[in-house]
Amino acid sequence: MLLPGSHFPVPALNRSVVLLCLCLLPLFQLQSQQPSTRLQAGAAAAELQADDSMIIAGGITGYQLQGQEGKLRCVAVVLALGPQKLAIVACDVLMMTRQVLDPVIAEIESATGISRSNVLINCTHTHHAPSTMRVHDYAPDTVFTRRVQEGIVAAVKSAASKLGDADFLFALGEEKT
């Protein structure tokens, strides 16, 4: 995928987000009243900070780690075709509930004008991030959950502010050995 003003692929984007964009693009284009309008895209990420006091989600029992080995992020892509906008977000967390996400989607709609029906939020289902919901016998970490909510909004707002002409490109290959 090439982003505005770039002539190189953006490897930092989660591959599943890019694939999802490609799958949803035909549906998105059908909604446009102006088929000759150029596709615009913007992308951004917000880093999520965890600390050693937070319970890591995904196991039968919660556990704690010392230090954060890799980055946890919320990655957003915003697509626009004429007046229609679409936001797709991937979050490095195990899972989240509608109770956590509904206020986030309302804030995105208010801040960017992207309709709540055009916002998709995906969790990467990592077992290496603090808990964002009740799982097994441990509760969500309220501080980290708030950071995820803020990260989603920040990533979408930043991506929406970076909209520029874009093209979706792909290559198809075959290895016959």
Side-chain angles (χ1 to χ4, degrees):
M1 179 171 152
L2 297 180
L3 293 183
S6 71
H7 298 289
F8 55 91
V10 180
L13 292 178
N14 184 315
R15 288 181 184 170
S16 62
V17 172
V18 174
L19 289 173
L20 191 54
C21 289
L22 288 171
C23 292
L24 293 175
L25 187 60
L27 296 174
F28 184 60
Q29 287 178 320
L30 288 176
Q31 292 181 359
S32 175
Q33 300 300 314
Q34 303 169 352
S36 63
T37 302
R38 287 271 303 146
L39 173 69
Q40 293 190 308
E47 195 169 325
L48 303 172
Q49 294 299 318
D51 64 59
D52 294 349
S53 71
M54 297 176 173
I55 300 296
I56 303 300
I60 297 297
T61 58
Y63 60 95
Q64 293 173 295
L65 296 174
Q66 288 193 334
Q68 185 171 327
E69 185 177 312
K71 292 182 180 182
L72 300 171
R73 303 182 310 157
C74 292
V75 179
V77 174
V78 173
L79 301 174
L81 194 60
Q84 293 286 333
K85 290 182 185 174
L86 172 73
I88 302 171
V89 184
C91 303
D92 290 330
V93 297
L94 185 66
M95 55 188 149
M96 291 186 284
T97 65
R98 289 286 304 265
Q99 181 181 3
V100 171
L101 293 175
D102 282 346
V104 171
I105 293 170
E107 189 173 345
I108 289 169
E109 185 174 42
S110 174
T112 66
I114 299 171
S115 169
R116 67 181 51 245
S117 63
N118 288 352
V119 177
L120 174 69
I121 300 173
N122 170 61
C123 298
T124 62
H125 198 80
T126 182
H127 286 241
H128 300 283
S131 181
T132 53
M133 62 179 289
R134 176 160 291 289
V135 179
H136 302 296
D137 200 22
Y138 50 92
D141 185 291
T142 55
V143 171
F144 186 75
T145 301
R146 185 68 198 141
R147 289 177 184 169
V148 174
Q149 290 174 309
E150 292 167 354
I152 292 168
V153 173
V156 172
K157 286 170 63 174
S158 180
S161 74
K162 296 176 181 178
L163 286 174
D165 288 348
D167 296 307
F168 275 103
L169 305 171
F170 71 94
L172 180 61
E174 186 175 341
E175 204 287 303
K176 293 185 179 196
T177 61

